[in-house]
Amino acid sequence: MISTSNISLRVGKKALFEDVNIKFTEGNCYGVIGANGAGKSTFLRILSGQLEPTTGEVIITPGQRLSFLQQDQFKYDAYPVLDTVIMGNKRLYDIRNEKDAIYAKTDFTEEDGVKAAELEAEFAQMDGWNAEADAENLLNGLGVGEEFHQKQMKELTGPLKVKVLLAQALFGNPDILLLDEPTNHLDLDAISWLEEFLINFENTVIVVSHDRYFLNKVCTQIADIDYGKIQLYAGNYDFWVESSQLMIRQMKEANKKKEEKIKELQEFIRRFSANASKSKQATSRKRALEKIQLDELRPSSRKYPYIDFRPEREIGNDVLTVENLTKTVNGRKVLDHISFTLTRDNKAALVGPDELAKTTLFKILAGEMEPDEGSYKWGLTTSQAYFPKDNSAEFDSDETIAEWLTKYSPIKDATYVRGFLGRMLFAGEDGVKQVKVLSGGERVRCMLSKMMISGANVLMLDEPTDHLDMESISALNTGMIRFPGVIIFSSRDHQIVETTANRIMEFVNGKLIDKITTYDDYLASDEMARKRQVYTVTEDEEEDD
């Protein structure tokens, strides 16, 4: 068990949270949610001991081991991948190294023998002989193939390092597991594996995530950071949405009744305070009035953008025809004679672990890359808006946000442009901020503003939820569902794929599996299970993640 006693944290004059008393118990998975900047990751750093609170303390049951997801991708560059995972249980890793060092001695003494025996006993008690096999199982489950297990961490790409660090956090059955955005950089298959792992995990889990489907799948309780407090709610994310809204409604209704009672008492006092025969009753009502206190309804720190893609023209029947499209990247044929046709009612999701194939197709369809063979043709009535996975080139400029968006606006009026910025929470002086200094989330919101202002009737989105908070992801999900045009998109957010797509497309060894179906039905299909057995992630595809 892990708990906090009167934890407060102040950054300058601002208090992220104050006097937090909360208990996290065994057998539960707690989802920590809140707006960007509310202090979710900061709270996990306090729990893990990486950050000292301003006041209060963290209390951990004596003898329990805490494990957390490391954020520094370069910390273990000097170590092999398997060793990095086993380091998740530091005591086990140290014992292994210590006994190996003893056995390597040329002048092995009787004392060394006694010490080695003690270490061997402790090693066996900690199931050390299965450590490498357990580490390999975790890596395989997360999509890190066996060809990487003996490599040095410095040889791996960023996304693979993230998966190794996640395996490290999960290793050795920790008593308390802290995970900060564990689904970042994971494909939907790896996320699904992690969900099953956490569902079957019997100890305490505390996880920060923006993935609503993930929180619904794994969480038994929600810890909501808002109003400078942390409030626990039983149930998953959807239950939190319902119960928190119900609580606010009940407080508003209670306040309304109190306000009506206040008016009634004030009216009686006004009418009869000067009346001698009613003076005692008036005095009694004054006392009753003083006791009535309205519930404080503090403004939430959550802010919801308004995402509404409105096409300028209706799309025709001919949308997109792709014939025998072929492309080799880094020596691997990621698209192998791909053919398909998009129609006006399609919202197609590109899914699966082959990130490079998906991004390559988007770049070709957006005109940023030429295919080696084959062709594609957009319908005459179509206009496309493209959201690239890597948007850094878009913001290599000294322009302000308003100047940047005006470039893409068909109407150059400043008020018109600022209206689109306002929808994406860029208010007031935000418009004069230079685009080159924007955060990842701000850049994504700018790109979505650009897509909205374009009036396109075809949207191409390559992982648009990266860097977005939960409120923005929810708004994007709603905007995609309501969009009357055609969408072709990739996303690691299960809920967006399931609620938006009516067509599922996946690349397997360069070939295309194309089904008119929902994502959940696709996952359950026999064909999907069979093809999983013949596909492995390669380092080339990770490079483009």
Side-chain angles (χ1 to χ4, degrees), residues 308-313 383-386 405 407-411 416 420 423 446-460 483:
D308 187 20
F309 303 107
R310 295 186 183 182
E312 288 186 352
R313 63 183 298 185
S383 56
Q384 303 87 40
Y386 173 46
L405 187 58
K407 286 191 309 185
Y408 303 106
S409 175
I411 299 173
Y416 179 80
F420 283 87
R423 293 180 188 178
C446 279
M447 291 298 296
L448 294 174
S449 296
K450 175 186 172 184
M451 297 186 80
M452 284 192 290
I453 210 168
S454 72
N457 53 25
V458 178
L459 305 180
M460 295 188 292
F483 180 61

Side-chain angles (χ1 to χ4, degrees), residues 354-381:
D354 199 339
E355 301 290 333
L356 183 55
K358 290 181 279 187
T359 295
T360 299
L361 178 62
F362 279 122
K363 288 182 176 180
I364 291 173
L365 296 181
E368 294 185 356
M369 181 184 286
E370 290 294 325
D372 298 333
E373 299 177 43
S375 64
Y376 67 93
K377 183 180 180 181
W378 289 104
L380 293 176
T381 63

Side-chain angles (χ1 to χ4, degrees), residues 233-247:
Y233 294 82
N236 61 16
Y237 177 76
D238 281 350
F239 189 84
W240 166 81
V241 171
E242 295 177 7
S243 57
S244 60
Q245 290 178 349
L246 175 62
M247 182 184 296

Side-chain angles (χ1 to χ4, degrees), residues 395-542:
F395 300 98
D396 185 16
S397 165
D398 290 327
E399 295 171 310
T400 66
I401 297 176
E403 291 169 342
W404 179 86
L405 187 58
T406 300
K407 286 191 309 185
Y408 303 106
S409 175
I411 299 173
K412 304 303 180 183
D413 178 70
T415 303
Y416 179 80
V417 172
R418 284 185 176 274
F420 283 87
L421 291 175
R423 293 180 188 178
M424 296 306 297
L425 308 179
F426 293 109
E429 295 183 359
D430 286 341
V432 299
K433 185 186 293 187
Q434 288 184 317
V435 294
K436 65 183 179 182
V437 301
L438 296 180
S439 67
E442 288 172 327
R443 289 184 176 189
V444 171
R445 287 189 278 124
C446 279
M447 291 298 296
L448 294 174
S449 296
K450 175 186 172 184
M451 297 186 80
M452 284 192 290
I453 210 168
S454 72
N457 53 25
V458 178
L459 305 180
M460 295 188 292
L461 303 112
D462 191 2
E463 299 295 346
T465 62
D466 287 354
H467 305 293
L468 288 182
D469 60 18
M470 198 175 296
E471 291 71 40
S472 297
I473 291 173
S474 179
L476 174 61
N477 196 171
T478 300
M480 291 173 68
I481 292 171
R482 291 191 308 207
F483 180 61
V486 171
I487 306 178
I488 179 168
F489 71 100
S490 66
S491 176
R492 298 185 184 94
D493 189 292
H494 186 118
Q495 190 162 334
I496 282 184
V497 178
E498 171 60 19
T499 58
T500 303
N502 55 23
R503 181 173 179 177
I504 303 299
M505 305 170 76
E506 179 169 8
F507 298 103
V508 180
N509 298 324
K511 300 295 186 181
L512 179 66
I513 296 176
D514 187 1
K515 295 289 184 181
I516 303 296
T517 183
T518 65
Y519 184 56
D520 283 348
D521 286 346
Y522 178 72
L523 289 177
S525 69
D526 291 339
E527 181 177 357
M528 198 274 189
R530 286 197 302 273
K531 66 93 182 169
R532 286 273 172 255
Q533 300 174 4
V534 299
Y535 183 78
T536 56
V537 177
T538 68
E539 188 167 18
D540 287 338
E541 72 186 87
E542 292 286 351

Side-chain angles (χ1 to χ4, degrees), residues 178-199:
L178 308 181
L179 300 174
D180 189 1
E181 295 292 357
T183 60
N184 280 2
H185 304 292
L186 296 188
D187 56 74
L188 286 167
D189 290 342
I191 293 173
S192 179
W193 180 90
L194 178 61
E195 289 167 355
E196 291 304 313
F197 181 94
L198 294 179
I199 288 170

Side-chain angles (χ1 to χ4, degrees), residues 176-335:
I176 301 161
L177 178 59
L178 308 181
L179 300 174
D180 189 1
E181 295 292 357
T183 60
N184 280 2
H185 304 292
L186 296 188
D187 56 74
L188 286 167
D189 290 342
I191 293 173
S192 179
W193 180 90
L194 178 61
E195 289 167 355
E196 291 304 313
F197 181 94
L198 294 179
I199 288 170
N200 295 314
F201 189 74
E202 296 179 350
N203 298 330
T204 304
V205 183
I206 306 172
V207 58
V208 170
S209 178
H210 290 144
D211 188 325
R212 298 159 297 165
Y213 182 90
F214 178 77
L215 292 174
N216 277 330
K217 196 80 181 286
V218 306
C219 290
T220 58
Q221 297 200 47
I222 295 295
D224 179 32
I225 302 181
D226 204 357
Y227 313 107
K229 301 291 183 183
I230 303 180
Q231 177 73 40
L232 276 183
Y233 294 82
N236 61 16
Y237 177 76
D238 281 350
F239 189 84
W240 166 81
V241 171
E242 295 177 7
S243 57
S244 60
Q245 290 178 349
L246 175 62
M247 182 184 296
I248 292 173
R249 285 198 301 270
Q250 289 175 335
M251 289 174 68
K252 287 181 177 179
E253 290 172 2
N255 275 355
K256 185 177 180 180
K257 291 180 179 178
K258 289 177 183 178
E259 287 169 350
E260 291 173 352
K261 184 64 176 178
I262 287 171
K263 287 181 181 178
E264 178 186 324
L265 293 172
Q266 287 174 335
E267 177 62 18
F268 186 93
I269 293 167
R270 184 188 65 80
R271 291 178 58 191
F272 299 110
S273 59
N275 188 320
S277 63
K278 299 280 188 177
S279 61
K280 286 186 178 181
Q281 294 179 41
T283 300
S284 175
R285 280 164 172 74
K286 282 181 182 179
R287 295 195 192 101
L289 182 61
E290 291 170 356
K291 292 179 180 178
I292 297 177
Q293 291 186 342
L294 297 177
D295 294 323
E296 183 182 9
L297 294 173
R298 299 174 62 184
S300 173
S301 58
R302 290 181 168 85
K303 295 182 180 180
Y304 290 83
Y306 179 68
I307 298 177
D308 187 20
F309 303 107
R310 295 186 183 182
E312 288 186 352
R313 63 183 298 185
E314 187 175 350
I315 201 165
N317 292 323
D318 296 327
V319 177
L320 173 66
T321 301
V322 174
E323 295 183 350
N324 294 316
L325 214 60
T326 301
K327 185 67 179 180
T328 298
V329 180
N330 297 330
R332 180 166 73 89
K333 188 175 285 187
V334 295
L335 303 178

